[in-house]
Amino acid sequence: MNRLALIIGTHNHLPLGQPEAISEDVYQCALRPFLSTLYAFPEVPAALHYSGLLLEWLEERHPELVMLIAEMVGRHQAEIVGGGYYDPILPMIPANDRLGQLEKMTTHLRVRFGTRPRGCWLAEQVWDPSLASTLRTGGMEYTFLDETQFGLAGAGGPELLCAGVAEDQGKHVAVIPVQTRLVDRAATLSPAGLLAELARIAESAGPSTVVALVGDGARSGPPFASNGWLEEFLGLVRQNAAWLEPVTPSAHLRAAPPSSRIYLPNCSSQLVAEWSLDPDRRKAWREARDAAGHGNGAPPPGGYFRQFFVRYPESGLMYAKMMHTHVL
């Protein structure tokens, strides 16, 4: 069986103004169990993204978790993934503010963990072609996008399992596809079932093939933290080291530098695309998505994320206030 690179990770954020009880519940049921389980498997590296707001909350409420992250970074088990400090939708804010958000996060991570992030997580995976140059200028070498977003650029088959190169104004950034559908399916699979899916992918894997299982760290169910599920899965990963190689994003990109360019259109996660539609169109989109799930082709791309400003007037007012403040 061919060797298969596997990126395991989570992206984590604490919404501003969220009730303290909810934040504490997320910590106790998801954030802490995931990291505690991962810590027991030092040979399994992971990619971890925490927004600046969440890090502030953890440093105040649960500094023990921050210390645990720092130890895992120190023993080269965890790669910290950067991003916008306040988890902004980067394409919706002015260019110099995008860089300010990235630099603020990078500075915070360097001070707290002694490491500079080489990649970043995009809030809601909202992508704009100009981000390639913005991210590179901000010191980022890679980012993650959903595999369905790769499909919008015409990628398919093996291309959905290989990193590509996005370019803007002569600047490049690597883009790693996240196998979101496999992450979602894991909630209904056993650890052995997920391993079998990975084995199936490995049968035709090439030297650049990578499976990125990166999901919302606030989830308390599989594949991240639930009743021993993650512990069993990581044990299977360790037992199958002969063909399954857990890696950090930077390590994979060093071993298999992407060479194929991919020009991604304006797009976002499927969830955001769905939310931007009015109720009737949303219903039709869900029906098309469900039909595609039964082998009847690909669903339509959904809505456009900037339509949020029209669909939800409050967000339009927030945007106008932000632009006014920026001008001042």
Coordinates of all heavy atoms in Angstrom, one line a residue, residues 25-97:
D25 N -18.7 25.6 28.6 CA -19.1 24.3 28.2 C -18.3 23.8 27.0 O -18.0 22.6 26.9 CB -20.6 24.4 27.8 CG -21.2 23.0 27.5 OD1 -21.2 22.1 28.4 OD2 -21.7 22.8 26.4
V26 N -18.1 24.7 26.0 CA -17.3 24.3 24.8 C -15.9 23.9 25.3 O -15.3 22.9 24.8 CB -17.2 25.5 23.8 CG1 -16.1 25.2 22.8 CG2 -18.5 25.8 23.2
Y27 N -15.3 24.6 26.2 CA -14.0 24.2 26.7 C -14.0 22.9 27.4 O -13.1 22.0 27.0 CB -13.5 25.3 27.7 CG -12.2 24.9 28.4 CD1 -11.0 25.0 27.8 CD2 -12.2 24.3 29.7 CE1 -9.8 24.6 28.4 CE2 -11.1 23.9 30.3 CZ -9.9 24.1 29.7 OH -8.7 23.6 30.3
Q28 N -14.9 22.6 28.2 CA -15.0 21.4 29.0 C -15.3 20.2 28.1 O -14.8 19.1 28.3 CB -15.9 21.5 30.1 CG -15.6 22.5 31.2 CD -14.3 22.1 32.0 OE1 -13.8 21.0 31.9 NE2 -13.7 23.1 32.7
C29 N -16.2 20.4 27.1 CA -16.7 19.3 26.3 C -15.9 19.0 25.0 O -16.0 18.0 24.4 CB -18.2 19.5 26.0 SG -19.2 19.5 27.4
A30 N -15.2 20.0 24.6 CA -14.5 19.9 23.3 C -13.0 20.3 23.3 O -12.2 19.5 22.9 CB -15.3 20.7 22.2
L31 N -12.7 21.5 23.6 CA -11.3 22.0 23.5 C -10.4 21.2 24.4 O -9.3 20.8 23.9 CB -11.3 23.5 23.9 CG -12.1 24.5 23.0 CD1 -11.9 25.9 23.5 CD2 -11.8 24.3 21.5
R32 N -10.7 21.1 25.7 CA -9.8 20.4 26.6 C -9.7 18.9 26.3 O -8.6 18.4 26.2 CB -10.3 20.6 28.0 CG -9.4 19.9 29.1 CD -9.9 20.2 30.5 NE -11.2 19.6 30.7 CZ -11.4 18.3 30.9 NH1 -10.4 17.4 30.9 NH2 -12.7 17.8 31.0
P33 N -10.8 18.2 26.0 CA -10.7 16.7 25.7 C -9.9 16.5 24.5 O -9.1 15.5 24.5 CB -12.2 16.3 25.6 CG -13.0 17.3 26.3 CD -12.2 18.6 26.2
F34 N -10.0 17.3 23.5 CA -9.3 17.0 22.2 C -7.8 17.2 22.5 O -7.0 16.3 22.1 CB -9.7 18.0 21.1 CG -8.8 18.0 19.9 CD1 -9.0 16.9 19.0 CD2 -7.8 18.9 19.7 CE1 -8.2 16.9 17.9 CE2 -7.0 18.8 18.6 CZ -7.2 17.8 17.7
L35 N -7.4 18.3 23.1 CA -6.0 18.5 23.3 C -5.4 17.5 24.3 O -4.2 17.0 24.1 CB -5.7 19.9 23.8 CG -4.4 20.6 23.4 CD1 -4.3 20.6 21.8 CD2 -4.3 22.0 23.9
S36 N -6.1 17.1 25.3 CA -5.6 16.2 26.3 C -5.4 14.8 25.7 O -4.4 14.1 25.9 CB -6.6 16.0 27.5 OG -6.8 17.2 28.2
T37 N -6.3 14.4 24.8 CA -6.2 13.1 24.1 C -5.0 13.2 23.1 O -4.2 12.2 23.1 CB -7.4 12.8 23.3 OG1 -8.6 12.7 24.2 CG2 -7.3 11.4 22.6
L38 N -4.9 14.3 22.4 CA -3.8 14.4 21.4 C -2.4 14.4 22.1 O -1.4 13.8 21.7 CB -3.9 15.7 20.6 CG -3.0 15.9 19.5 CD1 -3.1 14.9 18.4 CD2 -3.2 17.3 18.9
Y39 N -2.4 15.0 23.3 CA -1.1 15.1 24.1 C -0.6 13.7 24.4 O 0.6 13.5 24.5 CB -1.4 15.9 25.4 CG -0.1 16.1 26.2 CD1 0.8 17.1 25.9 CD2 0.1 15.3 27.3 CE1 1.9 17.2 26.7 CE2 1.2 15.4 28.1 CZ 2.1 16.4 27.8 OH 3.2 16.6 28.6
A40 N -1.5 12.7 24.6 CA -1.0 11.4 24.9 C -0.5 10.6 23.8 O 0.0 9.5 23.9 CB -2.2 10.6 25.5
F41 N -0.5 11.2 22.6 CA 0.1 10.6 21.4 C 1.2 11.5 20.8 O 0.9 12.1 19.7 CB -1.0 10.3 20.4 CG -2.0 9.2 20.8 CD1 -3.1 9.6 21.6 CD2 -1.8 7.9 20.4 CE1 -4.0 8.6 22.0 CE2 -2.7 6.9 20.8 CZ -3.8 7.3 21.6
P42 N 2.3 11.6 21.4 CA 3.3 12.6 21.0 C 3.8 12.3 19.6 O 4.4 13.3 18.9 CB 4.4 12.4 22.0 CG 4.2 11.1 22.6 CD 2.8 10.9 22.6
E43 N 3.7 11.1 19.0 CA 4.2 10.8 17.7 C 3.2 11.2 16.6 O 3.4 11.1 15.4 CB 4.5 9.3 17.6 CG 3.2 8.4 17.7 CD 2.8 8.1 19.1 OE1 3.2 8.8 20.0 OE2 2.1 7.1 19.3
V44 N 2.0 11.7 17.0 CA 1.0 12.2 16.1 C 0.9 13.7 16.1 O 0.4 14.3 17.0 CB -0.4 11.6 16.4 CG1 -1.4 12.1 15.4 CG2 -0.4 10.1 16.4
P45 N 1.5 14.4 15.1 CA 1.5 15.8 15.0 C 0.1 16.4 14.6 O -0.7 15.6 14.0 CB 2.6 16.2 14.0 CG 2.6 15.0 13.1 CD 2.3 13.8 14.0
A46 N -0.1 17.6 14.9 CA -1.4 18.2 14.5 C -1.2 19.7 14.2 O -0.2 20.3 14.6 CB -2.4 18.1 15.7
A47 N -2.2 20.2 13.4 CA -2.2 21.7 13.1 C -3.3 22.3 14.0 O -4.5 21.8 13.9 CB -2.5 21.8 11.6
L48 N -3.0 23.3 14.7 CA -3.9 23.9 15.6 C -4.1 25.4 15.4 O -3.1 26.1 15.3 CB -3.5 23.7 17.1 CG -3.2 22.3 17.5 CD1 -2.6 22.3 19.0 CD2 -4.5 21.4 17.5
H49 N -5.3 25.9 15.2 CA -5.6 27.3 15.0 C -6.5 27.8 16.1 O -7.5 27.2 16.4 CB -6.2 27.6 13.7 CG -6.8 29.0 13.6 ND1 -6.0 30.1 13.5 CD2 -8.1 29.4 13.7 CE1 -6.8 31.2 13.5 NE2 -8.1 30.8 13.6
Y50 N -6.0 28.8 16.8 CA -6.9 29.5 17.9 C -6.9 30.9 17.5 O -5.8 31.6 17.3 CB -6.3 29.2 19.3 CG -6.2 27.8 19.7 CD1 -5.1 27.0 19.4 CD2 -7.3 27.2 20.4 CE1 -5.1 25.7 19.8 CE2 -7.2 25.9 20.8 CZ -6.1 25.1 20.5 OH -6.1 23.8 20.9
S51 N -8.1 31.5 17.5 CA -8.2 33.0 17.2 C -7.6 33.7 18.4 O -7.5 33.2 19.5 CB -9.6 33.4 17.0 OG -10.4 33.3 18.2
G52 N -7.3 35.0 18.1 CA -6.7 35.8 19.2 C -7.7 36.0 20.3 O -7.3 36.0 21.5
L53 N -9.0 36.1 20.0 CA -10.0 36.3 21.1 C -10.0 35.1 22.0 O -10.2 35.2 23.2 CB -11.4 36.5 20.5 CG -11.6 37.9 19.9 CD1 -13.0 38.0 19.2 CD2 -11.6 39.0 21.0
L54 N -10.0 33.9 21.4 CA -10.0 32.6 22.1 C -8.7 32.5 23.0 O -8.8 32.1 24.2 CB -10.1 31.4 21.2 CG -10.1 30.1 21.9 CD1 -11.1 30.0 23.0 CD2 -10.3 29.0 20.9
L55 N -7.6 32.9 22.4 CA -6.3 32.8 23.2 C -6.4 33.7 24.4 O -6.0 33.4 25.5 CB -5.1 33.1 22.3 CG -4.7 32.0 21.4 CD1 -3.6 32.6 20.4 CD2 -4.2 30.8 22.1
E56 N -7.0 34.9 24.2 CA -7.1 35.9 25.3 C -8.0 35.2 26.4 O -7.7 35.3 27.6 CB -7.8 37.2 24.9 CG -6.8 38.0 24.0 CD -7.5 39.3 23.6 OE1 -8.7 39.5 24.0 OE2 -6.9 40.1 22.8
W57 N -9.1 34.6 26.0 CA -10.0 34.0 27.0 C -9.3 32.8 27.7 O -9.5 32.7 28.9 CB -11.3 33.5 26.3 CG -12.3 32.9 27.2 CD1 -13.3 33.7 27.9 CD2 -12.5 31.6 27.5 NE1 -14.1 32.8 28.6 CE2 -13.6 31.5 28.4 CE3 -11.9 30.4 27.1 CZ2 -14.1 30.3 28.9 CZ3 -12.4 29.2 27.7 CH2 -13.5 29.1 28.5
L58 N -8.6 32.0 27.0 CA -7.9 30.9 27.6 C -6.8 31.3 28.6 O -6.7 30.8 29.6 CB -7.3 30.0 26.5 CG -8.2 29.2 25.6 CD1 -7.5 28.5 24.5 CD2 -8.9 28.1 26.5
E59 N -6.1 32.4 28.2 CA -5.0 32.9 29.1 C -5.6 33.4 30.4 O -5.0 33.4 31.4 CB -4.2 33.9 28.4 CG -3.3 33.4 27.3 CD -2.8 34.4 26.3 OE1 -3.2 35.6 26.5 OE2 -2.0 34.1 25.4
E60 N -6.8 33.9 30.3 CA -7.5 34.4 31.5 C -8.2 33.3 32.3 O -8.1 33.3 33.6 CB -8.5 35.5 31.2 CG -9.3 36.1 32.3 CD -10.3 37.1 31.9 OE1 -10.3 37.5 30.7 OE2 -11.0 37.6 32.8
R61 N -8.9 32.4 31.6 CA -9.7 31.4 32.3 C -9.0 30.1 32.5 O -9.3 29.4 33.5 CB -11.0 31.2 31.5 CG -11.8 32.5 31.3 CD -12.5 33.0 32.6 NE -13.3 34.1 32.4 CZ -14.0 34.7 33.4 NH1 -14.0 34.3 34.6 NH2 -14.8 35.8 33.1
H62 N -8.3 29.7 31.5 CA -7.7 28.3 31.5 C -6.2 28.4 31.0 O -5.9 27.8 30.0 CB -8.5 27.4 30.7 CG -9.9 27.1 31.3 ND1 -10.1 26.3 32.4 CD2 -11.1 27.6 30.9 CE1 -11.4 26.3 32.7 NE2 -12.0 27.1 31.8
P63 N -5.3 29.1 31.8 CA -3.9 29.1 31.3 C -3.3 27.8 31.2 O -2.3 27.6 30.5 CB -3.3 30.0 32.4 CG -4.2 29.9 33.6 CD -5.6 29.7 33.0
E64 N -3.8 26.8 31.9 CA -3.2 25.4 31.8 C -3.3 24.9 30.4 O -2.4 24.1 30.0 CB -3.9 24.5 32.8 CG -5.3 24.1 32.5 CD -6.4 25.1 32.9 OE1 -6.0 26.2 33.4 OE2 -7.6 24.8 32.8
L65 N -4.3 25.2 29.6 CA -4.4 24.7 28.3 C -3.4 25.4 27.4 O -2.8 24.8 26.5 CB -5.8 24.9 27.7 CG -6.1 24.2 26.4 CD1 -6.4 22.7 26.8 CD2 -7.3 24.7 25.6
V66 N -3.2 26.7 27.6 CA -2.2 27.4 26.9 C -0.8 26.9 27.1 O 0.0 26.7 26.2 CB -2.2 28.9 27.2 CG1 -1.2 29.7 26.4 CG2 -3.6 29.5 26.9
M67 N -0.5 26.5 28.4 CA 0.8 25.9 28.7 C 0.9 24.5 28.0 O 2.0 24.2 27.6 CB 0.8 25.7 30.2 CG 0.9 27.0 31.0 SD 0.8 26.8 32.8 CE 2.3 25.8 33.1
L68 N -0.2 23.8 27.9 CA -0.2 22.5 27.2 C 0.2 22.7 25.8 O 1.0 21.9 25.2 CB -1.5 21.8 27.4 CG -1.6 20.3 27.0 CD1 -0.6 19.5 27.8 CD2 -3.0 19.8 27.1
I69 N -0.5 23.7 25.1 CA -0.2 24.0 23.7 C 1.3 24.3 23.6 O 2.0 23.8 22.6 CB -1.1 25.1 23.2 CG1 -2.5 24.7 23.3 CG2 -0.7 25.5 21.8 CD1 -3.5 25.8 23.0
A70 N 1.8 25.2 24.5 CA 3.2 25.6 24.4 C 4.1 24.4 24.5 O 5.2 24.3 23.8 CB 3.5 26.6 25.5
E71 N 3.8 23.4 25.4 CA 4.7 22.2 25.5 C 4.6 21.4 24.2 O 5.6 20.9 23.8 CB 4.2 21.4 26.7 CG 5.1 20.2 27.0 CD 4.7 19.4 28.2 OE1 3.9 20.0 29.0 OE2 5.1 18.3 28.3
M72 N 3.4 21.3 23.6 CA 3.3 20.5 22.4 C 4.1 21.2 21.3 O 4.6 20.5 20.4 CB 1.8 20.3 22.1 CG 1.1 19.4 23.1 SD -0.7 19.4 22.8 CE -0.8 18.4 21.3
V73 N 4.1 22.5 21.2 CA 4.8 23.2 20.2 C 6.3 23.0 20.4 O 7.1 22.7 19.5 CB 4.5 24.7 20.3 CG1 5.5 25.5 19.4 CG2 3.1 25.0 19.8
G74 N 6.7 23.0 21.7 CA 8.1 22.8 22.0 C 8.6 21.4 21.7 O 9.8 21.3 21.3
R75 N 7.8 20.4 21.7 CA 8.3 19.1 21.4 C 7.9 18.7 19.9 O 7.9 17.6 19.5 CB 7.7 18.0 22.3 CG 6.2 17.8 22.2 CD 5.7 16.8 23.3 NE 4.4 16.4 23.1 CZ 3.7 15.6 24.0 NH1 4.3 15.3 25.1 NH2 2.5 15.2 23.8
H76 N 7.6 19.8 19.1 CA 7.3 19.7 17.7 C 6.2 18.7 17.4 O 6.1 18.1 16.3 CB 8.6 19.2 17.0 CG 9.8 20.0 17.2 ND1 9.9 21.3 16.8 CD2 10.9 19.8 18.0 CE1 11.1 21.9 17.2 NE2 11.7 20.9 17.9
Q77 N 5.2 18.7 18.3 CA 4.0 17.9 18.0 C 2.9 18.8 17.3 O 2.1 18.3 16.5 CB 3.5 17.2 19.2 CG 2.2 16.4 18.9 CD 1.6 15.8 20.2 OE1 2.0 16.1 21.3 NE2 0.6 15.0 20.0
A78 N 2.9 20.0 17.7 CA 1.8 20.9 17.3 C 2.4 22.0 16.4 O 3.4 22.6 16.8 CB 1.0 21.5 18.4
E79 N 1.8 22.3 15.3 CA 2.1 23.4 14.5 C 1.0 24.4 14.6 O -0.2 24.1 14.4 CB 2.3 23.1 13.0 CG 2.5 24.3 12.1 CD 2.8 24.0 10.7 OE1 3.3 22.9 10.4 OE2 2.6 24.9 9.8
I80 N 1.3 25.6 15.1 CA 0.3 26.7 15.3 C 0.0 27.4 14.0 O 0.9 27.8 13.3 CB 0.8 27.7 16.4 CG1 1.0 27.0 17.7 CG2 -0.2 28.8 16.5 CD1 -0.2 26.4 18.3
V81 N -1.3 27.4 13.7 CA -1.7 28.0 12.4 C -2.2 29.4 12.8 O -3.1 29.6 13.7 CB -2.8 27.2 11.7 CG1 -3.3 27.9 10.5 CG2 -2.3 25.8 11.4
G82 N -1.8 30.4 12.0 CA -2.2 31.8 12.3 C -3.5 32.2 11.6 O -4.3 31.3 11.3
G83 N -3.6 33.5 11.4 CA -4.9 34.0 10.8 C -5.1 35.4 11.2 O -4.2 36.0 11.8
G84 N -6.3 35.9 11.0 CA -6.7 37.2 11.5 C -6.9 37.1 13.0 O -7.6 36.2 13.5
Y85 N -6.4 38.1 13.7 CA -6.5 38.0 15.2 C -7.9 37.9 15.7 O -8.2 37.1 16.6 CB -5.8 39.3 15.8 CG -5.6 39.2 17.3 CD1 -4.4 38.6 17.8 CD2 -6.5 39.7 18.2 CE1 -4.2 38.6 19.2 CE2 -6.3 39.6 19.5 CZ -5.2 39.1 20.0 OH -5.0 39.0 21.4
Y86 N -8.8 38.7 15.2 CA -10.2 38.7 15.6 C -11.1 37.9 14.8 O -12.3 38.0 14.8 CB -10.7 40.2 15.7 CG -9.9 41.0 16.7 CD1 -9.0 42.0 16.2 CD2 -10.2 40.9 18.0 CE1 -8.3 42.7 17.1 CE2 -9.5 41.7 18.9 CZ -8.5 42.6 18.5 OH -7.8 43.4 19.4
D87 N -10.5 37.0 14.0 CA -11.2 36.0 13.1 C -12.1 36.8 12.1 O -13.3 36.5 12.0 CB -12.1 35.1 14.0 CG -12.3 33.7 13.3 OD1 -11.3 33.3 12.7 OD2 -13.4 33.2 13.4
P88 N -11.6 37.8 11.4 CA -12.4 38.5 10.5 C -12.6 37.8 9.2 O -11.8 36.9 8.8 CB -11.5 39.8 10.2 CG -10.1 39.2 10.3 CD -10.1 38.2 11.4
I89 N -13.6 38.2 8.4 CA -13.7 37.8 7.0 C -12.8 38.6 6.2 O -13.1 39.8 5.9 CB -15.2 37.9 6.5 CG1 -16.1 37.2 7.5 CG2 -15.3 37.4 5.1 CD1 -15.9 35.7 7.5
L90 N -11.6 38.2 6.0 CA -10.5 39.0 5.4 C -10.9 39.7 4.1 O -10.6 40.9 4.0 CB -9.3 38.2 5.2 CG -8.4 37.8 6.4 CD1 -7.2 37.0 6.0 CD2 -8.0 39.1 7.1
P91 N -11.6 39.1 3.1 CA -11.9 39.8 1.9 C -12.8 41.0 2.1 O -12.9 41.9 1.2 CB -12.5 38.8 1.0 CG -12.1 37.5 1.5 CD -11.9 37.7 3.0
M92 N -13.5 41.1 3.3 CA -14.4 42.2 3.5 C -13.8 43.4 4.2 O -14.6 44.4 4.5 CB -15.6 41.6 4.3 CG -16.5 40.6 3.5 SD -17.9 40.2 4.4 CE -18.7 39.1 3.3
I93 N -12.5 43.3 4.5 CA -11.9 44.5 5.2 C -10.8 45.1 4.3 O -10.3 44.4 3.5 CB -11.4 44.1 6.6 CG1 -10.3 43.1 6.5 CG2 -12.5 43.5 7.5 CD1 -9.6 42.7 7.8
P94 N -10.5 46.3 4.5 CA -9.5 47.0 3.6 C -8.1 46.2 3.7 O -7.8 45.6 4.7 CB -9.3 48.4 4.2 CG -10.7 48.6 4.9 CD -11.1 47.3 5.4
A95 N -7.4 46.4 2.6 CA -6.1 45.6 2.5 C -5.1 45.8 3.6 O -4.6 44.8 4.1 CB -5.5 45.9 1.1
N96 N -4.9 47.1 4.0 CA -4.0 47.3 5.1 C -4.5 46.7 6.4 O -3.7 46.3 7.3 CB -3.6 48.8 5.2 CG -4.8 49.7 5.4 OD1 -5.9 49.2 5.1 ND2 -4.6 50.9 5.7
D97 N -5.8 46.7 6.6 CA -6.3 46.1 7.8 C -6.2 44.6 7.8 O -6.0 44.0 8.9 CB -7.8 46.5 8.0 CG -8.0 47.9 8.4 OD1 -7.0 48.6 8.8 OD2 -9.1 48.4 8.2

